[in-house]
Amino acid sequence: MNRRLLAVVLAALVLVPAADAARVHVRIEGKTRTIFGATAPTLDAGNALGALDSASLAGEFYYHVQTTAFGPYIDQVGRYAAAGETGWVFKVNGKSPPVGADQVRLQDGDEVLWYWAQFGVAGGPRTLMLERAGAGQTNCYRVYSLDDNGVRAAATGAVLHVGSRRTVPTQGATQATVGCVGKHQGLLVRATLGGAVRSNALP
């Protein structure tokens, strides 16, 4: 069996849905736009690599797995290939696992985020997470900034987007930035911040 065929077989073995596949939320954030799942829809996957594969089937986008001595490596999603200090990484429930995507076993309700990242001296970019604010705050949202360990911090300077409208949130008393966007029936809200991976979208 030649190397290329072996790589295909190995990748297929990793991606075959297992009987114990979980129902997980999946989102893929590209360099300039969301590739799949702005609202993080639910898909079946046994591990984080399988989550990417399920998303690619549902969203009909291309990705490539390179087989390395350390295991499967995602070297391209959509149009952007990994090169130099850029590449594709993932988080599960806001944290970057210390193992490969094929080794991360998922459980029902887990949130899997794959994203394009540019690495620098301080490592990769922070990711944003958007939540609805507490009771009594209609049309208000909290924006968190998460590091690789899933530690939250206020996303100071973040901007909320509703269609073509932009709202700059105010600093809250907690580790979040809070903003209210007013009525926005049928439109999704999401957050951006320079140097960070854009947030999930919420109605």
Side-chain angles (χ1 to χ4, degrees), residues 97-149:
V99 296
D102 60 325
Q103 300 299 312
V104 180
R105 300 304 304 171
L106 301 174
Q107 298 181 2
D108 288 344
D110 281 349
E111 296 185 2
V112 181
L113 169 64
W114 279 90
Y115 58 100
W116 184 91
Q118 182 164 4
F119 299 91
V121 177
R126 296 179 71 89
T127 57
L128 299 181
M129 183 175 69
L130 187 68
E131 296 179 347
R132 289 182 185 84
Q137 293 182 301
T138 305
N139 297 319
C140 295
Y141 298 83
R142 298 183 192 278
V143 187
Y144 298 95
S145 171
L146 289 83
D147 66 12
D148 286 345
N149 295 315

Side-chain angles (χ1 to χ4, degrees), residues 45-192:
N47 58 45
L49 183 56
L52 176 61
D53 186 61
S54 293
S56 77
L57 291 173
E60 297 184 358
F61 63 85
Y62 171 83
Y63 77 97
H64 184 262
V65 181
Q66 181 180 17
T67 302
T68 72
F70 303 101
Y73 169 65
I74 302 301
D75 61 3
Q76 184 169 348
V77 177
R79 294 188 61 86
Y80 291 98
E85 296 180 347
T86 65
W88 291 91
V89 291
F90 71 99
K91 286 184 174 181
V92 176
N93 299 325
K95 299 180 180 179
S96 297
V99 296
D102 60 325
Q103 300 299 312
V104 180
R105 300 304 304 171
L106 301 174
Q107 298 181 2
D108 288 344
D110 281 349
E111 296 185 2
V112 181
L113 169 64
W114 279 90
Y115 58 100
W116 184 91
Q118 182 164 4
F119 299 91
V121 177
R126 296 179 71 89
T127 57
L128 299 181
M129 183 175 69
L130 187 68
E131 296 179 347
R132 289 182 185 84
Q137 293 182 301
T138 305
N139 297 319
C140 295
Y141 298 83
R142 298 183 192 278
V143 187
Y144 298 95
S145 171
L146 289 83
D147 66 12
D148 286 345
N149 295 315
V151 177
R152 294 181 176 188
T156 305
V159 175
L160 294 180
H161 300 262
V162 185
S164 61
R165 287 191 291 127
R166 293 158 52 94
T167 300
V168 179
T170 58
Q171 185 67 41
T174 62
Q175 291 182 316
T177 301
V178 179
C180 299
V181 298
K183 293 183 178 180
H184 55 283
Q185 186 173 3
L187 297 174
L188 295 176
V189 179
R190 72 183 318 160
T192 61

